[in-house]
Amino acid sequence: MDYLDFLHSANRPAIRQLRQETESRLAQPKKGFLRFREPYEAIQHLRAKFTDFSSDAVTIGQADELNQADRQLVYEAMRAFMPWRKGPFNIFGIEIDSEWQSQRKWNRIAPMLPDLSGKVIADIGCNNGYYMFRTIPHQPKAVIGFEPFLQHYYCFNTLNQLAGVDNLFMEMMGVEQINLFPDCFDLILLMGIIYHRISPVEMLREIRAALRPGGTLILESQAIPGDEPVALFPESRYAKVPGTYFVPTAACLKNWLTRVGFAEVEIFCCHPMSNEEQRRTDWMTFESYSDFIDPTNPSLTVEGYPAPLRVFLKATNPG
Ligand SMILES: C[S@@+](CC[C@H](N)C(=O)[O-])C[C@H]1O[C@@H](n2cnc3c(N)ncnc32)[C@H](O)[C@@H]1O
């Protein structure tokens, strides 16, 4: 199935053209591509009998489905996709403890989701597809992940090659291409993206145009504390992360959404970050939350800015 066959308002010629360009690019025998293409190809012969997307760990296959040789192949393929930022996953009994406890974010948004059965969903910046898999028990018609990074693209395709879910798709595109999808989606997940955009309000305008009338946006962002509708603009990095532009308050995000024409804008969750939710593991061995925060004052980042909150908003495209 190709979702473009039924997504009539999408700019299908342009999307197909981009797909072709991506395919030709990835077919080149470049070291940087092969690093992720090879593990994907190494386990192409395997397909899980058992899957479960309703528990905290996205589960694909059980340990007793594989012989020792195939289990080793799967283990090596999974290690090749390190660092694992989002999860947890359980792949044929191999427990992948990711940096983020993404089930916590899912559990915050799940009660706020509209009825998804038969609906078309976009997950912008979907990483390895953790949340895409979690939508499957809600019986969507199609879930399209947008993810421009090669590692995540191959990681998702490897996982879904094992899982065999035929209504999950990943496009190796960024939010920059969302304007190819006017009037297309019933739900857009825009999580962990907005503070990386140099023009966040312009992006929200394009996101609204990609929603069908009545469609829902779930927006999650890092935020600074405070009731004023303001945003921090760091000198270079925020919590050591480069490419961070505007870090708003929840009230500021609400105003951005309202000003671009969203209706029923609601802040439904706000919580401080912690090293319980984001931490170093055997599957992500680089620095993590504790390294980003002032060791003598946990209310500040290492740069001396207010430490991040996470805020969640829900909004509707009135059409
Ligand atoms: C902070 S992570 C958030 C991942 C996930 N949405 C979540 O909330 O857990 C940002 C993700 O956006 C992806 N990304 C980077 N540039 C992007 C772009 N221009 N458009 C869409 N996604 C992008 C990154 O590769 C990464 O997977």
Side-chain angles (χ1 to χ4, degrees), residues 86 100 102 105 123-128 131 146-149 152 173-176 190-193 195-197 220 310:
K86 312 297 167 184
W100 285 86
S102 307
K105 197 188 278 193
D123 184 1
I124 314 282
C126 60
N127 202 269
N128 57 26
Y131 304 107
F146 291 77
E147 178 53 66
F149 278 83
H152 308 318
M173 296 180 192
V175 68
E176 299 85 336
L190 184 69
M191 307 194 297
I193 302 293
Y195 46 86
H196 286 305
R197 303 307 299 168
E220 181 267 352
R310 289 270 154 186

Side-chain angles (χ1 to χ4, degrees), residues 54-68:
S54 60
S55 311
D56 289 352
V58 165
T59 300
I60 300 173
Q62 289 176 309
D64 61 7
E65 290 180 41
L66 296 184
N67 62 34
Q68 190 51 38

Side-chain angles (χ1 to χ4, degrees), residues 135-149:
T135 64
I136 290 301
H138 297 254
Q139 301 178 312
K141 182 170 185 179
V143 187
I144 299 123
F146 291 77
E147 178 53 66
F149 278 83

Side-chain angles (χ1 to χ4, degrees), residues 169-189:
F169 308 88
M170 186 177 282
E171 297 289 3
M172 207 170 141
M173 296 180 192
V175 68
E176 299 85 336
Q177 276 81 45
I178 199 69
N179 55 5
L180 301 178
F181 295 82
D183 235 354
C184 282
F185 303 115
D186 300 292
L187 171 72
I188 296 184
L189 301 176

